[in-house]
Amino acid sequence: MKLSDFVKDIIRDFLIIFASIMIIITVLRQIYIPELAFDLISIYTIMGFSLLGALTGIIWYTPHEISERAMRVRIVVHFLTLEILLISLASLIGVVTGVPGALLLALQIAVVYAVVRVLSYGKDKKEAEQINERLKAVKQEIHD
């Protein structure tokens, strides 16, 4: 993957993460606390968390193909890095105070990460099937 494509992916991921969080929080606030409005500090905090989450995608960058084992190691490293950075930032700015809050945040991050991994697995599986179909078609053309 070229570096320019990777940077585009990081920017896209940031915008998707930020937009998703804002939409979810807006809907939940309308349901449970309709009188609560967003302030700039809340928006900047969400933006910071989104940017930090997207920047951890640097762990995925490689200019060449890597093995399945190396990819699994990167998944674990990415998850742990994301957990440590987000909990540290939350503690630093006072969003999380104490061990119970940190554990709850860690659990929430783990659940979201698992959902994202499951969704990306389905996408990866579909792409692999498409590649296999193309390879079969090329192989068939060669034999004909």
Side-chain angles (χ1 to χ4, degrees), residues 7-80:
V7 170
K8 288 178 188 176
D9 286 347
I10 295 252
I11 292 169
R12 185 200 64 223
D13 290 348
F14 161 71
L15 293 173
I16 289 171
I17 293 167
F18 180 67
S20 300
I21 292 171
M22 292 301 293
I23 290 167
I24 291 167
I25 290 175
T26 301
V27 169
L28 290 175
R29 281 187 175 181
Q30 287 300 313
I31 294 170
Y32 295 106
I33 314 171
E35 66 277 358
L36 185 62
F38 282 106
D39 59 334
L40 280 178
I41 293 175
S42 297
I43 293 172
Y44 291 148
T45 301
I46 294 167
M47 195 177 289
F49 277 84
S50 301
L51 181 61
L52 187 62
L55 287 177
T56 60
I58 291 171
I59 294 169
W60 298 113
Y61 178 71
T62 178
H64 54 279
E65 295 294 321
I66 61 173
S67 69
E68 183 70 26
R69 183 169 189 247
M71 184 57 77
R72 291 185 192 281
V73 168
R74 286 179 186 227
I75 289 171
V76 171
V77 169
H78 183 254
F79 172 71
L80 293 175

Side-chain angles (χ1 to χ4, degrees), residues 8 79 89 96 123 130 141:
K8 288 178 188 176
F79 172 71
L89 180 62
V96 171
K123 180 184 171 212
Q130 290 174 347
E141 289 176 12

Side-chain angles (χ1 to χ4, degrees), residues 52-124:
L52 187 62
L55 287 177
T56 60
I58 291 171
I59 294 169
W60 298 113
Y61 178 71
T62 178
H64 54 279
E65 295 294 321
I66 61 173
S67 69
E68 183 70 26
R69 183 169 189 247
M71 184 57 77
R72 291 185 192 281
V73 168
R74 286 179 186 227
I75 289 171
V76 171
V77 169
H78 183 254
F79 172 71
L80 293 175
T81 303
L82 196 59
E83 285 273 1
I84 291 167
L85 288 176
L86 292 178
I87 292 171
S88 298
L89 180 62
S91 296
L92 186 68
I93 64 173
V95 174
V96 171
T97 56
V99 175
L103 290 175
L104 181 61
L105 180 59
L107 180 62
Q108 291 170 344
I109 294 168
V111 168
V112 170
Y113 196 82
V115 168
V116 169
R117 295 302 314 156
V118 167
L119 292 174
S120 68
Y121 173 77
K123 180 184 171 212
D124 291 345

Side-chain angles (χ1 to χ4, degrees), residues 122-136:
K123 180 184 171 212
D124 291 345
K125 186 176 178 182
K126 183 192 283 186
E127 288 178 10
E129 288 172 0
Q130 290 174 347
I131 290 169
N132 286 337
E133 288 175 17
R134 286 188 221 135
L135 288 174
K136 286 179 185 177

